[in-house]
Amino acid sequence: MLNQVMDFAGEVLPGSRAAPPCSETAFLAELGERLKSSRARCELSRRELARRSGISERYIAQIEAGKGNVSIVLLLRLASAIHGSQPQAA
């Protein structure tokens, strides 16, 4: 679903009347699930992710629950914090 949204975002121009491929609610729910699974895969607590990203633990919980309407900049900070936690290849 997120890939469809990315494709859609790349095609849409200002003034277009195209409809997104999914509802905002479904998109935020899937985004939250992906954040939660990525965090768990890296064995990060919400507290540690909050510390690394500079985003409050409470807001991370809201995003994971599909309730937080997160900006692209915050997504970048979360991704950087999670990516930095992954073990380096030998």
Side-chain angles (χ1 to χ4, degrees):
M1 182 183 320
L2 288 178
N3 291 336
Q4 291 174 321
V5 173
M6 297 277 293
D7 292 342
F8 172 76
E11 295 171 4
V12 175
L13 298 173
S16 173
R17 299 198 189 284
C22 62
S23 72
E24 290 177 7
T25 303
F27 176 81
L28 292 174
E30 183 172 341
L31 180 68
E33 284 299 317
R34 287 186 180 207
L35 175 61
K36 188 175 183 176
S37 66
S38 293
R39 181 177 60 77
R41 188 175 49 252
C42 294
E43 298 179 356
L44 285 173
S45 66
R46 280 188 190 141
R47 179 171 288 166
E48 181 60 17
L49 181 56
R51 187 188 69 74
R52 290 181 184 198
S53 67
I55 300 169
S56 76
E57 189 176 345
R58 185 176 195 161
Y59 193 58
I60 291 171
Q62 288 177 335
I63 296 167
E64 288 183 350
K67 307 281 187 220
N69 193 356
V70 64
S71 72
I72 296 297
V73 172
L74 292 184
L75 284 176
L76 178 62
R77 286 170 49 190
L78 289 167
S80 295
I82 289 172
H83 179 71
S85 71
Q86 294 177 352
Q88 298 295 319

